[in-house]
């Protein structure tokens, strides 16, 4: 076993690791299912062949979907890397974890999925991107120190598991920026340009490189599936594929629009899930993933988790989904306090910092796509859809009819036809804020370190958190 105590100087992490190791002796049936989680880093929900993209080549993700259950309407709780991963693994909304901002570590008081599985004899590990801090790291039994593009140590993990049921979390670094210099596979003519980006050569090349990164990740996913099959583990392994947030482009990543919070979600478990299944009976939130994984392992949902197991939909794709899903945006290079509620047709967004334009993550500010927007803005040539990114002041309330406006560009909050529905969804959002003990905007504040209008990253330091008394 490779202990995190030698990878971190955190005494608290080492104490937790020792505590969890003591609890790992509980017996687990020999046929307990394995769990393999494959999580993309900044991938749009529909940028895969299985989700209808006409030109991105993803044969392995497509065969994963064909072998199991594809969820059509799945949503994240936040469109930011580390808060999203911590939310998924704790089964809590980001503002409940104490790690709602980018790069905030999991607090020492919280347990994540491997910390529970360890008590029942599971061998737990993760590969590549972690992003949850020393306490989260310490709750895994195993971690590989290999290079970011080397996943072959997965076989070493399986050897060390020694036949015990395993939980493996694979954090890909694709398709996160920056993009390398490998020969291009996709061409600018292959791309689909959303209306809030500029349809020019730099943007098309930028999207094509992003497509290439998804293709590279797809090849890596094929490796994991091949290893499972070669070792006779595929039938009794639940494989889950999703993304931590939307594509790394303006008005996607770091937003509560569907481009930021909607995720692909595929479950494949040949022993249990019929091949070629699809779930379209309602919405799914990733807040339910941690309870699902624990349920599969025979563990009741802990009281600190808010979600419910999705396992019933594995056998019955007609079970009702969620009537509402909730999302938030906090500090990510620029400070925000945005909350949103979505139904199958409508979305209501509440902005706190209305005097400022929307904050763009720093890795997007230098991208060709963002620079194209800036050039067009400086010439006064932005379309209304493109100008929404720089809107200031912003409305306190945004309301979208997703059936008519899937890109969320036409705010109809004040329209007579939608006014009452917007009021009703605002009440639902208020109730969620109260029930989850969300903090008001003035309580947890950080300064920006990226300019909102130009995308310029002006300091390497993460500004300190300025807390007020709460509750």
């Amino acid at each position: 076993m490779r202990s995190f105590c030698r990878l971190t100087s955190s005494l608290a992490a080492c104490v937790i690791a020792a505590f969890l190791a003591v609890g790992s002796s509980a017996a687990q049936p020999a046929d307990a299912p394995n769990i393999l989680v494959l999580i993309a880093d900044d991938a749009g929900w529909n940028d895969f062949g299985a989700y209808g993209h006409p030109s991105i080549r993803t044969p392995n993700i497509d065969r994963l979907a064909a072998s199991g259950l594809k969820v059509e309407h799945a949503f994240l709780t936040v469109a930011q890397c580390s808060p999203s991963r911590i939310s998924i693994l704790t089964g809590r909304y980001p503002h409940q974890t104490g790690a709602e901002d980018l790069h905030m570590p999991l607090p020492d008081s919280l347990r994540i999925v491997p910390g529970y599985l360890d008590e029942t004899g599971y061998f737990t590990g993760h590969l590549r991107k972690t992003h949850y801090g020393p306490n989260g790291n310490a709750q895994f039994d195993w971690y590989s120190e290999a290079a970011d593009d080397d996943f072959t140590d997965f076989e070493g993990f399986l050897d060390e598991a020694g036949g015990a049921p395993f939980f493996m979390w694979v954090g890909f670094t694709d398709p996160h920026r920056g993009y390398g210099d490998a020969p291009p596979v996709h061409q600018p003519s292959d791309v689909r340009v959303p209306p809030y980006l500029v349809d020019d050569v730099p943007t098309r090349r930028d999207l094509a490189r992003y497509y290439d990164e998804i293709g590279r990740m797809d090849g890596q996913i094929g490796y994991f599936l091949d290893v499972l099959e070669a070792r006779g583990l595929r039938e009794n392994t639940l494989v889950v594929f999703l993304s931590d947030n939307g594509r790394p482009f303006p008005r996607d990543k770091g937003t509560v629009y569907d481009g930021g919070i909607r995720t692909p979600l595929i479950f494949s478990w040949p022993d249990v899930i019929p091949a070629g299944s699809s779930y379209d009976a309602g919405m799914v939130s990733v807040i339910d993933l941690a309870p699902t994984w624990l349920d599969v392992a025979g563990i009741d949902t802990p009281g600190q988790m808010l979600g419910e197991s999705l396992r019933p939909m594995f056998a019955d794709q007609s079970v009702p989904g969620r009537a509402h899903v909730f999302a938030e945006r906090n500090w990510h290079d620029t400070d925000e306090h945005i909350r949103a509620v979505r139904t199958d047709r409508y979305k209501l967004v509440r902005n706190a910092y209305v005097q400022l334009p929307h904050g763009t993550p720093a890795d997007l500010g230098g991208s060709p796509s963002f620079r194209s927007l800036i050039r067009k803005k400086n010439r006064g040539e932005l379309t209304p859809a493109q100008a929404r990114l720089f809107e200031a002041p912003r409305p306190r309330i945004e309301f979208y009819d997703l059936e008519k406006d899937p890109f969320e560009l036409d705010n109809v909050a004040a329209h007579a036809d939608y006014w009452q529905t917007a009021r009703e969804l605002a009440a639902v959002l208020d109730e969620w804020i109260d029930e989850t003990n969300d903090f008001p905007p003035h309580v947890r504040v950080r300064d920006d370190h990226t300019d909102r209008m130009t995308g310029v990253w002006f300091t390497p330091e993460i500004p300190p958190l300025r807390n007020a008394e709460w509750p």
Side-chain angles (χ1 to χ4, degrees):
M1 181 181 299
R2 304 180 185 186
S3 170
F4 268 100
C5 293
R6 69 181 179 86
L7 300 178
T8 177
S9 59
S10 169
L11 176 61
C14 295
V15 170
I16 290 171
F19 169 78
L20 294 173
V22 170
S24 66
S25 60
Q28 185 65 249
D31 61 349
N34 309 303
I35 302 170
L36 174 62
V37 181
L38 306 169
I39 183 164
D41 193 4
D42 296 6
W45 73 272
N46 56 353
D47 290 334
F48 305 91
Y51 280 91
H53 200 284
S55 57
I56 299 180
R57 301 163 180 82
T58 54
N60 294 297
I61 294 169
D62 297 351
R63 70 165 161 140
L64 187 67
S67 71
L69 173 67
K70 180 181 68 171
V71 178
E72 297 291 348
H73 298 93
F75 296 90
L76 302 156
T77 60
V78 64
Q80 304 162 251
C81 296
S82 59
S84 180
R85 292 162 188 259
I86 289 173
S87 175
I88 291 166
L89 283 164
T90 58
R92 297 173 68 81
Y93 291 102
H95 64 265
Q96 296 180 305
T97 66
E100 71 277 359
D101 291 352
L102 184 70
H103 300 308
M104 290 181 77
L106 179 76
D108 289 346
S109 60
L110 288 186
R111 297 171 71 187
I112 57 177
V113 168
Y116 293 97
L117 292 176
D118 200 53
E119 295 182 349
T120 62
Y122 270 76
F123 188 66
T124 63
H126 67 91
L127 283 164
R128 304 294 77 79
K129 186 168 183 176
T130 58
H131 228 181
Y132 23 73
N135 175 32
N137 294 347
Q139 294 183 48
F140 289 88
D141 297 319
W142 183 96
Y143 173 60
S144 169
E145 298 176 32
D148 280 350
D149 58 353
D150 179 11
F151 292 90
T152 57
D153 225 8
F154 177 55
E155 295 178 71
F157 166 79
L158 295 176
D159 292 340
E160 290 195 40
F166 67 80
F167 175 89
M168 167 57 79
W169 173 281
V170 181
F172 295 101
T173 54
D174 290 332
H176 194 289
R177 297 176 184 271
Y179 301 145
D181 298 322
V185 176
H186 298 86
Q187 302 302 317
S189 58
D190 294 331
V191 308
R192 299 190 301 192
V193 182
Y196 44 84
L197 297 181
V198 178
D199 191 351
D200 62 3
V201 171
T203 298
R204 283 184 166 270
R205 287 177 176 165
D206 200 18
L207 282 162
R209 299 310 300 270
Y210 160 74
Y211 288 11
D212 287 349
E213 297 277 317
I214 289 180
R216 183 171 75 162
M217 177 184 65
D218 182 80
Q220 294 162 344
I221 287 174
Y223 160 76
F224 286 96
L225 300 180
D226 290 345
V227 168
L228 291 177
E229 290 171 359
R231 291 187 175 231
L233 298 171
R234 184 69 182 88
E235 298 301 309
N236 194 36
T237 299
L238 169 62
V239 181
V240 183
F241 172 71
L242 73 158
S243 182
D244 63 353
N245 54 249
R247 67 179 68 86
F249 285 82
R251 217 168 185 268
D252 290 326
K253 178 179 179 178
T255 77
V256 295
Y257 305 121
D258 277 10
I261 63 168
R262 192 167 175 181
T263 179
L265 181 59
I266 298 170
F267 298 96
S268 177
W269 186 5
D271 273 356
V272 173
I273 302 174
S277 302
S278 178
Y279 182 75
D280 197 16
M283 297 183 298
V284 169
S285 172
V286 297
I287 204 78
D288 297 319
L289 288 180
T292 302
W293 296 328
L294 296 185
D295 183 14
V296 165
I299 302 172
D300 292 337
T301 301
Q304 74 168 19
M305 294 185 179
L306 274 69
E308 298 181 359
S309 175
L310 300 172
R311 189 170 184 178
M313 76 169 58
F314 293 175
D316 181 3
Q317 286 82 58
S318 67
V319 297
R322 286 178 172 263
H324 304 95
V325 293
F326 302 92
E328 60 191 88
R329 159 73 146 91
N330 302 291
W331 189 89
H332 187 132
D333 302 322
T334 55
D335 202 24
E336 293 282 8
H337 189 284
I338 302 174
R339 302 296 184 258
V341 56
R342 189 195 197 279
T343 70
D344 60 350
R345 178 170 176 176
Y346 301 112
K347 182 183 290 179
L348 183 138
V349 177
R350 181 177 296 168
N351 297 298
Y353 304 151
V354 296
Q355 73 279 15
L356 299 170
H358 199 290
T360 297
D363 60 318
L364 309 189
S367 69
S369 298
F370 191 83
R371 305 325 301 173
S372 288
L373 285 164
I374 291 294
R375 286 192 295 272
K376 197 171 181 183
K377 175 178 175 292
N378 290 341
R379 298 195 300 263
E381 296 174 356
L382 291 176
T383 67
Q386 295 158 0
R388 289 296 307 272
L389 183 67
F390 305 101
E391 186 178 19
R394 282 181 278 171
R396 178 75 67 181
I397 295 294
E398 301 173 51
F399 190 79
Y400 300 103
D401 184 339
L402 301 169
E403 185 176 285
K404 298 179 179 179
D405 178 26
F407 290 110
E408 298 163 86
L409 297 170
D410 183 17
N411 180 12
V412 294
H415 195 288
D417 290 347
Y418 297 99
W419 189 79
Q420 183 59 35
T421 306
R423 282 175 57 89
E424 292 168 359
L425 274 187
V428 171
L429 185 61
D430 281 338
E431 183 178 6
W432 173 77
I433 287 170
D434 289 342
E435 289 180 349
T436 60
N437 197 33
D438 194 4
F439 55 85
H442 70 277
V443 168
R444 295 173 70 80
V445 178
R446 290 184 197 271
D447 292 329
D448 294 352
H449 75 180
T450 300
D451 186 79
R452 293 169 185 257
M453 296 300 289
T454 66
V456 172
W457 183 51
F458 55 80
T459 174
E461 303 298 327
I462 297 176
L465 189 65
R466 293 184 277 130
N467 284 27
E469 290 295 326
W470 176 256

